[in-house]
Amino acid sequence: DAGVIQSPRHEVTEMGQEVTLRCKPISGHNSLFWYRQTMMRGLELLIYFNNNVPIDDSGMPEDRFSAKMPNASFSTLKIQPSEPRDSAVYFCASSFGLAADTQYFGPGTRLTVL
Amino acid sequence: RKEVEQDPGPFNVPEGATVAFNCTYSNSASQSFFWYRQDCRKEPKLLMSVYSSGNEDGRFTAQLNRASQYISLLIRDSKLSDSATYLCVVNMDSSYKLIFGSGTRLLVRP
């Protein structure tokens, strides 16, 4: 079975540019999470969707960040405009139901903003 | 105080050694506890859940001490392939939100 799929795997962009990260959750999973991981702050939850509806976006750092989930098999995380401090690894994870112990992570997108 | 605290390590041990990691959490109302493993430049993966009675999976043993608010992971007979970062994870209210520790790095040398 395919796991969580993320694209691109690596992204290098210049400050001020728009960045769009993509995620395809595991088929049948109805919860989707976007995380950010940095050396300084570790793994942080940015936003959580359940049945395609954003439930908790309290972790989204600021208005430059937005996330959508138009259907059960696709989600995007957009940063506009990007800044160097956004450089991090962004993970998408999915799970079935509300059980917290079954989150499956994608391989991540390593973002570098110059 | 961080919600979940871990010693960052690294723990540098020879093959065959036994190594233990501890993790403390701040919220006494925390409901569920887990250890995730993250290899270098890879995604986190669930290693094992931590139950009140303690649980064992092969060479790995996890224990929970609610009174002292800490979780432990014991690895026996360390293998080179055990080299990774081990993330302590706590769920506060049995819903979706996981709080990740910053991880403990383990290096197993030949």
Side-chain angles (χ1 to χ4, degrees), chain A residues 38-113:
Chain A
T38 61
M39 289 293 291
M40 290 296 293
R41 300 175 67 89
L43 200 60
E44 304 172 283
L45 177 65
L46 299 178
I47 188 168
Y48 158 61
F49 291 88
N50 184 254
N51 292 324
N52 313 337
V53 176
I55 303 299
D56 181 356
D57 65 356
S58 60
M60 295 286 263
E62 47 196 273
D63 292 346
R64 297 185 298 105
F65 285 70
S66 62
K68 294 182 179 180
M69 192 164 187
N71 56 63
S73 59
F74 184 65
S75 177
T76 59
L77 178 68
K78 185 177 293 187
I79 309 173
Q80 166 64 14
S82 58
E83 297 182 2
R85 61 191 167 123
D86 301 331
S87 297
V89 181
Y90 291 81
F91 288 104
C92 175
S94 71
S95 72
F96 177 71
L98 295 177
D101 62 339
T102 54
Q103 290 188 24
Y104 297 88
F105 284 74
T109 296
R110 186 170 296 272
L111 173 65
T112 302
V113 183

Side-chain angles (χ1 to χ4, degrees), chain B residues 41-105:
Chain B
R41 303 180 76 85
K42 299 287 189 180
E43 71 273 20
K45 293 183 180 178
L46 178 66
L47 177 66
M48 58 196 306
S49 301
V50 186
Y51 304 122
S52 297
S53 56
N55 49 302
E56 188 174 309
D57 183 2
R59 298 181 293 107
F60 297 82
T61 300
Q63 291 192 315
L64 167 64
N65 185 318
R66 284 190 183 272
S68 300
Q69 294 181 211
Y70 79 80
I71 308 150
S72 64
L73 177 67
L74 181 78
I75 305 175
R76 290 181 300 277
D77 188 24
S78 300
K79 312 291 185 191
L80 294 177
S81 57
D82 294 334
S83 296
T85 296
Y86 291 83
L87 303 169
C88 175
V89 185
V90 175
N91 170 239
M92 299 296 180
D93 56 8
S94 296
S95 66
Y96 59 89
K97 193 163 188 175
L98 299 180
I99 307 298
F100 286 79
S102 55
T104 297
R105 191 173 172 208

